[in-house]
Amino acid sequence: MGKTVILDNGHGGMINNEYQTAGKRSPNWTQGILYEGMFNRWVVNRIIEKLDRLKIPYYHICPEFNDVTLETRRNRANRIYEINPDVWLLSIHANAGGGTGIEAFTTIGQTSADGLANIVLSNLETDMQDTRMRFDLADGDKDKEMNFYILKETIPPAVLVELGFMDQRIDYDRLWDENYLGRLVDSLVRSVGEIAG
Ligand SMILES: [Zn+2]
């Protein structure tokens, strides 16, 4: 397949202990508040280190700690596509709304992103067997479909993955857990490597 990943950590990070995004956080349970944009950066930063060690190429469209606007993220992704059309976008998020488990989104309708999401979700299903996979199999693949801005407005095929629910206690504990996080990252790195060919 031979596509290079464009990494996107959703929302803002921490600057001098101040979260840069409104909302988008867990309740203040035993380990404290899990800020989604902070967590998303943990995942992307760990992916980047592993890709460096494996010499697998990547792009990163929002290395800043402030909450880079969706328009800027789109512009950066599309500019990369102009230089190198053999790319796909992986947007990392954590979920809210009280469910449990992992789900991934592509735009509505059949596009090349569906096959990429299937690779990501199949590897997560194999690697995270203790975790509920929130598949939508109605259209013959595993991803869910929503026209989120970062999916619809970017030219490269794009997959948005929600790695767990910040506001559900089991998922909250898992997202803080180094071992669980390591397994999530290893699975995503595996998919990025497979798609890179
Ligand atoms: Zn998010």
Side-chain angles (χ1 to χ4, degrees):
M1 201 172 305
K3 281 192 188 296
T4 299
V5 72
I6 300 174
L7 296 165
D8 173 47
N9 29 243
H11 318 295
M14 309 300 288
I15 298 177
N16 194 23
N17 218 23
E18 271 197 37
Y19 185 36
Q20 300 298 302
T21 299
K24 303 286 181 190
R25 67 193 70 192
S26 78
N28 191 7
W29 285 328
T30 47
Q31 309 222 51
I33 298 169
L34 184 72
Y35 298 101
E36 185 193 342
M38 173 185 77
F39 170 81
N40 297 338
R41 280 166 178 73
W42 294 350
V43 174
V44 167
N45 291 343
R46 286 170 188 226
I47 289 173
I48 284 173
E49 183 190 343
K50 300 221 169 202
L51 295 178
D52 283 338
R53 290 177 185 273
L54 293 165
K55 310 204 174 359
I56 296 170
Y58 58 87
Y59 298 94
H60 187 198
I61 48 167
C62 43
E64 299 97 325
F65 290 93
N66 63 305
D67 194 344
V68 176
T69 65
L70 289 170
E71 291 77 10
T72 297
R73 293 173 200 243
R74 171 201 63 193
N75 292 343
R76 289 175 179 176
N78 290 350
R79 216 170 300 135
I80 290 165
Y81 180 86
E82 283 172 23
I83 299 161
N84 177 8
D86 293 323
V87 287
W88 69 291
L89 187 136
L90 177 62
S91 187
I92 300 291
H93 288 257
N95 223 332
T100 182
I102 291 173
E103 58 194 15
F105 293 88
T106 63
T107 51
I108 293 166
Q110 294 302 307
T111 69
S112 61
D114 295 317
L116 300 170
N118 240 15
I119 292 170
V120 171
L121 286 171
S122 296
N123 283 331
L124 284 165
E125 183 179 24
T126 303
D127 298 335
M128 312 301 293
Q129 294 199 7
D130 49 354
T131 301
R132 179 160 169 232
M133 292 291 139
R134 302 167 62 87
F135 294 156
D136 172 12
L137 300 170
D139 59 347
D141 53 36
K142 291 174 175 171
D143 62 77
K144 299 190 173 189
E145 301 197 332
M146 285 279 263
N147 282 337
F148 292 134
Y149 187 97
I150 198 68
L151 301 178
K152 188 160 188 330
E153 300 298 324
T154 47
I155 300 167
V159 178
L160 185 149
V161 59
E162 300 272 10
L163 294 172
F165 284 75
M166 299 177 287
D167 57 353
Q168 200 276 348
R169 194 53 205 267
I170 294 167
D171 286 19
Y172 164 91
D173 286 334
R174 284 174 162 171
L175 296 182
W176 276 103
D177 183 80
E178 292 267 1
N179 183 273
Y180 189 86
L181 185 57
R183 287 167 54 216
L184 279 175
V185 166
D186 285 345
S187 183
L188 294 168
V189 166
R190 187 148 83 93
S191 294
V192 168
E194 284 177 19
I195 292 167

